[in-house]
Amino acid sequence: MKKVLSLLLALMMLLPAGVALGEETDEFDSFDSFDEFDSFDEFDEFDSFGGFGEDEGEEADGYVIPRPEVVSAKELVKLDASLGEISASARALYAPIAGTLVRVPVFAEPSESMMKKKEAFEKEFGCTLQLEVYGWNEWRSQLIQMVAAKDVPDVVPIFDEQFVTYVTQGVVQPVEAYVDLNDPVWNKELSDLYSWGGKVYGAASEADVITIYYNKDLVQEYGLEDPYELYLKGEWDFENFRKTAKALTIFNGEKRKIIGFSTWITDVLCQANGSTSVILNADGTITPTLHEKAWLEGMELTQKMIIEDKSFNPGDTSLTKFLSGRVGMYAERADYSIAQYKMYETAPFEIGFVPLPKGPSTVGEVAPAIIESFGVPTSAKNPLGGMAWQYFSLVYGHQRLMGIGVEEDKLDTVWNSFYQKWTDEHYCQYLDYMSRAKLQCSFVNGIGDWFIKRWGLLGDIEAGTPPAVAVEAHIGELLFEIKSMTGQE
C-alpha cells in the first residue's frame, strides 16, 4: 500500500441539523427549480484529512481495486502531525503582519471556539484580528461595493459559481504573492483549478466531492450486486449504474413508490463522464464544451433514465426522500446536506458509499466536486494578513483533531462533527478513491445568467429533445453570457 495523498485540512461549515421523515408520499417532479446552496456560515474547526490507496491496476481476490483497509480516522490524523505545525516558510512569509490589523469576514456571530482561535492567531503573529459579521445573502453585492470603495476585508471566500464573476469584474487579485501553495497544508491540485489567464486566484485545501450514498437494505432485498463491490471489480459504469437504478425503482400501480436515483445536481452524469461544460483558457477566454461527447453522453443517459426507466429524479434538493427509504441512491457531498441531515444517525437502514459511475468518455477516475477557495480582494489593505488567517485556521483545525489545546472531555465534541459526515469505513473508502481520482469542477453556473437560462436546455431534454439538438438550440445563450463576462467574440 502506498500513501499518495497528503493529509488535507479545511474549515468546517456550521450547519443547522434535523430532518423530517414524515413527508407525504407523492409523485416525483423532474428538474424542479431550486436555490443554490448559498449559506456560508462561520468557517470553523476542520473538514477532512489523510489518504492512502493501493497501486492502481493491482488485482487481489478478483478485484481490480484491492479493498481498502478500514482504519479509525482518529488514527489517520496521527499519520502527519506536521500539519498541526506552522512551517518555517509560512513563519517567514507571514512575519511582516506583526503589528497590523487583519480584517476577516464571518457570516454568523463568532462562536466561543472561533474567539479562541482568534486569540491564538493574534498571539502567534502579533497582530490584531477584526472579525466582521455579514449576511450571506447580501455578501456578493456588498463585496463589490466595498472593493470599489477600497474599504474591504483582507480575505474572501470564492466558491466555484462566484469565480468567473469575481475575476472578470476585478473583485479579486492573484494570490501567489500571499501564500505558498506548495505548503502541504494547501491542496495545490485543487488550488490550480482556480487558475485562469495564467494566474491563480484562490488557495484551497479541500473539495466537496460528489459521491453516491445508497440504501444497502434495498440493494440486498432486491438481490442486486452491491454498487461498491461493482466499483472494486471495475464494473461500476454507466451500464451497471443504470441497471441498478432501474431495479431500485418500484411502482405501486402507476405511481412510483421508490425511485432508483435522485440528486439536485442535474448534470452529475455529465461530470461523472469527465465533462466540465466549459474550459477556462490560459488566454482568459472561455470555451463551452456542451456539444462534446462527454457532456452529451452523460445527458443522454440522464434522459433515458428520466423518460424510459423513470428511475432518475433530477433537481431533488433534499435528502428527506432518501432517508425515508423512497430513493435508492442519492448523489451528494459529505459536507452540507450529509452533515446537515445527520444522515448516519437518522437513516433507518444501512447506508452504502460509492463513487459516481464511470462513463464511456471518462479517462481514469475523476472526482467531480463543488469547490471553494480563499482569495484576496483587489483593494485589500492587508492581503498577507488575510491569507495568514486562513493558513492558521487549517493548522489550528488539525491541532484540535490531535487534541492540542482541547480539554480531554471536549475532544469527543470535536470528533462528533466529523462523524456526522463519515463513518470510518466510508472515509477510508473515500480516501482510497481519491488516491487515484483527478479532481474536476465546473465553473459554468457562474457565467452571467446561465444558471437560470440553463433550465430551458434541461427542460427540453427532459421533454424528449435529443441532447445534441437541445444544445444546438441553446448554445447561443451560453455564448452570449460568456461574451457579457469576457467580451470575447
Side-chain angles (χ1 to χ4, degrees):
M1 180 180 291
K2 66 178 183 179
K3 182 180 178 185
V4 296
L5 290 178
S6 298
L7 298 184
L8 305 176
L9 286 168
L11 303 170
M12 177 182 173
M13 273 188 182
L14 301 181
L15 292 164
V19 57
L21 296 181
E23 286 191 352
E24 181 181 351
T25 302
D26 51 19
E27 284 297 326
F28 291 86
D29 296 324
S30 298
F31 287 114
D32 296 333
S33 62
F34 61 89
D35 294 326
E36 188 75 352
F37 284 87
D38 58 2
S39 61
F40 184 81
D41 296 334
E42 169 191 344
F43 273 90
D44 201 4
E45 303 303 337
F46 63 93
D47 196 318
S48 58
F49 54 86
F52 55 89
E54 299 289 350
D55 292 328
E56 186 172 1
E58 180 181 347
E59 295 193 18
D61 299 327
Y63 291 94
V64 173
I65 302 170
R67 188 181 305 279
E69 178 186 359
V70 177
V71 181
S72 166
K74 293 181 180 180
E75 293 300 316
L76 286 174
V77 76
K78 300 175 183 177
L79 292 177
D80 198 343
S82 64
L83 288 186
E85 302 173 357
I86 298 173
S87 67
S89 61
R91 289 187 185 280
L93 177 63
Y94 298 126
I97 73 171
T100 66
L101 173 68
V102 181
R103 298 173 59 188
V104 171
V106 294
F107 302 92
E109 288 297 327
S111 65
E112 180 182 350
S113 61
M114 173 66 83
M115 296 307 293
K116 288 182 178 179
K117 181 167 64 173
K118 172 183 181 294
E119 181 181 346
F121 174 71
E122 291 174 332
K123 181 179 179 180
E124 181 67 45
F125 291 102
C127 60
T128 299
L129 180 68
Q130 180 172 296
L131 298 174
E132 303 177 1
V133 182
Y134 296 90
W136 179 250
N137 290 335
E138 301 77 33
W139 167 248
R140 185 183 299 197
S141 59
Q142 284 182 316
L143 175 60
I144 293 172
Q145 294 168 6
M146 289 188 293
V147 167
K150 298 183 178 180
D151 182 16
V152 65
D154 297 312
V155 65
V156 293
I158 308 175
F159 287 82
D160 45 22
E161 79 274 10
Q162 299 165 335
F163 179 53
V164 173
T165 296
Y166 283 2
V167 174
T168 57
Q169 294 189 7
V171 174
V172 294
Q173 60 178 296
V175 298
E176 290 100 328
Y178 311 117
V179 63
D180 178 8
L181 292 176
N182 290 314
D183 191 301
V185 164
W186 299 107
N187 184 335
K188 191 173 188 306
E189 178 190 7
L190 179 56
S191 299
D192 284 344
L193 293 178
Y194 279 91
S195 176
W196 190 17
K199 300 174 182 178
V200 179
Y201 290 89
S205 62
E206 179 68 10
D208 295 323
V209 176
I210 304 161
T211 57
I212 292 175
Y213 297 85
Y214 59 95
N215 187 326
K216 293 192 75 170
D217 290 5
L218 282 179
V219 168
Q220 293 170 6
E221 179 180 348
Y222 291 103
L224 306 177
E225 188 161 3
D226 187 275
Y228 189 72
E229 298 299 316
L230 287 168
Y231 168 74
L232 292 178
K233 294 195 294 185
E235 297 175 6
W236 185 237
D237 53 21
F238 272 16
E239 180 181 0
N240 282 322
F241 166 73
R242 181 184 181 185
K243 288 178 180 178
T244 302
K246 187 174 182 179
L248 290 174
T249 301
I250 310 301
F251 286 83
N252 183 6
E254 295 296 319
K255 193 172 185 178
R256 279 181 298 195
K257 179 181 177 183
I258 301 173
I259 191 165
F261 177 66
S262 186
T263 185
W264 63 271
I265 308 164
T266 52
D267 63 346
V268 68
L269 295 179
C270 304
Q271 296 187 49
N273 201 29
S275 174
T276 58
S277 298
V278 293
I279 296 173
L280 305 187
N281 300 309
D283 63 359
T285 60
I286 300 175
T287 302
T289 61
L290 301 183
H291 60 286
E292 295 183 357
K293 279 184 63 178
W295 196 91
L296 293 176
E297 288 170 344
M299 199 51 65
E300 285 164 1
L301 176 57
T302 299
Q303 186 180 64
K304 290 175 182 177
M305 292 176 67
I306 293 171
I307 297 175
E308 297 177 18
D309 303 345
K310 304 188 186 309
S311 63
F312 184 6
N313 182 43
D316 185 358
T317 63
S318 172
L319 271 166
T320 303
K321 295 184 181 74
F322 174 70
L323 293 172
S324 62
R326 293 184 289 146
V327 171
M329 300 182 289
Y330 192 88
E332 184 50 286
R333 303 150 295 164
D335 281 332
Y336 303 98
S337 289
I338 302 303
Q340 178 181 353
Y341 283 84
K342 296 185 177 180
M343 182 180 71
Y344 291 108
E345 299 176 21
T346 306
F349 51 82
E350 185 178 359
I351 295 171
F353 165 90
V354 70
L356 292 169
K358 186 173 183 177
S361 292
T362 309
V363 178
E365 291 192 59
V366 297
I370 292 173
I371 64 174
E372 58 190 294
S373 70
F374 297 96
V376 174
T378 52
S379 56
K381 293 181 174 61
N382 192 359
L384 202 60
M387 294 309 298
W389 165 252
Q390 295 306 150
Y391 176 87
F392 179 80
S393 295
L394 297 171
V395 173
Y396 184 85
H398 197 82
Q399 290 175 347
R400 286 178 63 80
L401 287 176
M402 296 174 66
I404 299 173
V406 181
E407 297 177 20
E408 187 174 349
D409 61 345
K410 293 184 178 180
L411 188 56
D412 283 345
T413 301
V414 174
W415 278 99
N416 284 344
S417 298
F418 174 84
Y419 283 118
Q420 286 180 3
K421 296 181 288 184
W422 297 102
T423 63
D424 284 331
E425 179 183 23
H426 288 172
Y427 192 58
C428 290
Q429 290 172 352
Y430 167 76
L431 293 177
D432 178 65
Y433 155 58
M434 290 302 296
S435 72
R436 292 177 299 274
K438 178 182 178 181
L439 277 171
Q440 68 173 43
C441 75
S442 175
F443 294 108
V444 70
N445 289 334
I447 298 177
D449 291 328
W450 176 249
F451 181 77
I452 302 300
K453 292 183 177 179
R454 69 189 179 127
W455 291 110
L457 168 63
L458 297 174
D460 285 353
I461 292 171
E462 178 192 10
T465 303
V469 176
V471 167
E472 184 68 25
H474 291 275
I475 192 70
E477 297 170 351
L478 178 55
L479 291 171
F480 174 84
E481 297 302 328
I482 290 173
K483 181 178 180 180
S484 72
M485 302 295 286
T486 66
Q488 73 187 65
E489 296 295 335

